[in-house]
Amino acid sequence: MAIFRVSAIDGALCLADDRHGDFQTALERRLAAVGPDDPVVVLVHGFRFAPAPDGGIGAARDPHRLLYALTPDRTCWKLASWPGGLGFGAGQAPGLCIGFAWPGHAPHPAALLAERRTGLAVAYDRAGAAGACLAQLLNAVAACRPGRPIDMLAHSLGARVALAALPYLEAPAAWALGRMILLGAAEFAGVAAERLARLPSGASPEIYNVTARANDLYDWLFERAAPGDRRDRALGHGLVCPPRGWIDLQLDHPTVRRSLAMRGVDIAPPRRRICHWSFYAAPGAMELYARILRDRAVWSVEALSALLGQVEVEPRWAHLLPHALHPSLTALRPPRLRRA
């Protein structure tokens, strides 16, 4: 199969379909079947999803069933088959998709009663801790197949997990980092910059920070609910001083959509002014990520930057409120931190 399912339970990695199985042996067997030029991509879900406590597949919020299955779940429009959208599966393009599940579900009432914090705040802390488990997985992949590029696709708080893994990577895994596609990243820009700065010398991942003005409300709520520096901003508006290999890609920017269409990827216009799931649910979005992962020369950060030219990320609330109101709403967002 093209999908390898892994869960982080109680701070340790286990096979999603056999909690007591030999993780290392199973991983080596799957990687041995992958061709030298085929992609290996790790999927990381966001808030409200979590693996079954017993490690099995099928729980109500289990991402292995709802997002990582080869057959899409049709019970809700917010659900989609990520592996299928990326071209993995029987009869499709080769490669290996590794679905990584972590405990991202934290109900607000229970969190408020038990810890006097929002469920998002609890899940935010868990995401940071899950980064160590994700790093363990990436280190294991790099040890099994030295020199092979390892890509990641992460949504929402999953982007925090992916970034939190970076300081825990051993040099071979850090050097093997290929492309990180962050969708609606629920992380502060200052935290992301600090994590990237801690990568060992020689590590140079390409990072596609996929944003959308339809996500503005969620970015704004994240900045107020998650524990962190209240002066910092969510990654929805990128980094002030991005590292080499970083691109901010606003998925619902009209010019961006026209430019992508010229290269054969049609992203459907947004159907909702407020949406956190269009990053993977919008028609055409997963095709874009599949091309980034599979047609590496044509869809490199350098090539995509040249295609988009000087397109700048639109200001917050640009698709929600009249442009004339934007200046009067600066008090609703923290100032951007500038790093030396």
Side-chain angles (χ1 to χ4, degrees):
M1 291 180 63
I3 181 70
F4 181 63
R5 299 182 177 90
V6 182
S7 296
I9 298 177
D10 298 330
L13 290 178
C14 68
L15 299 174
D17 51 2
D18 183 6
R19 183 172 182 179
H20 303 291
D22 189 333
F23 167 79
Q24 187 65 32
T25 300
L27 177 63
E28 291 174 357
R29 185 172 63 251
R30 288 298 182 85
L31 288 172
V34 180
D37 298 322
D38 299 335
V40 173
V41 56
V42 180
L43 311 177
V44 191
H45 65 83
F47 186 41
R48 297 188 185 280
F49 294 96
D54 61 358
I57 298 176
R61 297 185 179 275
D62 184 5
H64 294 301
R65 180 177 67 87
L66 301 174
L67 298 175
Y68 302 160
L70 293 177
T71 302
D73 189 307
R74 301 295 187 185
T75 60
C76 178
W77 68 269
K78 298 177 183 178
L79 303 176
S81 170
W82 291 8
L86 295 176
F88 294 92
Q92 298 193 64
L96 180 65
C97 227
I98 303 178
F100 176 80
W102 60 280
H105 178 56
H108 291 301
L112 290 171
L113 289 173
E115 304 186 36
R116 296 185 179 180
R117 299 195 301 161
T118 66
L120 178 63
V122 172
Y124 181 84
D125 287 344
R126 288 182 190 169
C133 287
L134 176 58
Q136 181 184 344
L137 171 62
L138 299 175
N139 288 332
V141 173
C144 288
R145 301 296 295 269
R148 167 181 288 282
I150 307 171
D151 303 319
M152 286 191 280
L153 183 142
H155 176 245
S156 190
L157 271 182
R160 170 168 167 78
V161 177
L163 291 165
L166 301 186
Y168 298 99
L169 293 180
E170 298 168 0
W175 295 335
L177 279 180
R179 295 182 171 176
M180 299 176 63
I181 305 176
L182 310 180
L183 312 178
E187 183 56 288
F188 292 103
V191 175
E194 187 271 336
R195 295 284 191 266
L196 291 167
R198 292 171 63 181
L199 279 170
S201 176
S204 55
E206 291 186 285
I207 303 176
Y208 300 75
N209 182 39
V210 184
T211 69
R213 297 285 61 82
N215 199 54
D216 282 344
L217 179 61
Y218 291 92
D219 283 339
W220 185 80
L221 291 171
F222 165 79
E223 291 166 353
R224 279 142 188 83
D229 190 335
R230 288 292 174 262
R231 299 172 298 166
D232 206 349
R233 298 186 70 187
L235 275 176
H237 285 274
L239 298 178
V240 175
C241 301
R244 182 180 180 183
W246 177 287
I247 185 171
D248 294 314
L249 185 62
Q250 186 189 324
L251 206 61
D252 56 1
H253 193 299
T255 302
V256 170
R257 289 196 293 107
R258 285 195 296 269
S259 298
L260 294 176
M262 291 173 56
R263 193 162 285 184
V265 177
D266 291 309
I267 307 293
R271 290 180 292 180
R272 296 172 175 83
R273 290 190 178 186
I274 300 174
C275 186
H276 186 55
W277 301 272
S278 59
F279 295 104
Y280 60 83
M286 294 300 288
E287 180 186 352
L288 170 63
Y289 313 142
R291 296 204 184 190
I292 289 172
L293 296 172
R294 295 183 180 278
D295 197 353
R296 303 183 83 83
V298 174
W299 294 92
S300 66
V301 163
E302 182 180 6
L304 197 50
S305 297
L307 173 69
L308 299 179
Q310 300 299 315
V311 176
E312 295 186 359
V313 173
E314 293 179 296
R316 180 172 288 181
W317 316 119
H319 292 194
L320 189 62
L321 298 168
H323 180 75
L325 294 179
H326 295 166
S328 65
L329 294 174
T330 55
L332 295 180
R333 64 187 189 191
R336 298 184 70 175
L337 294 181
R338 294 194 174 273
R339 299 183 291 118

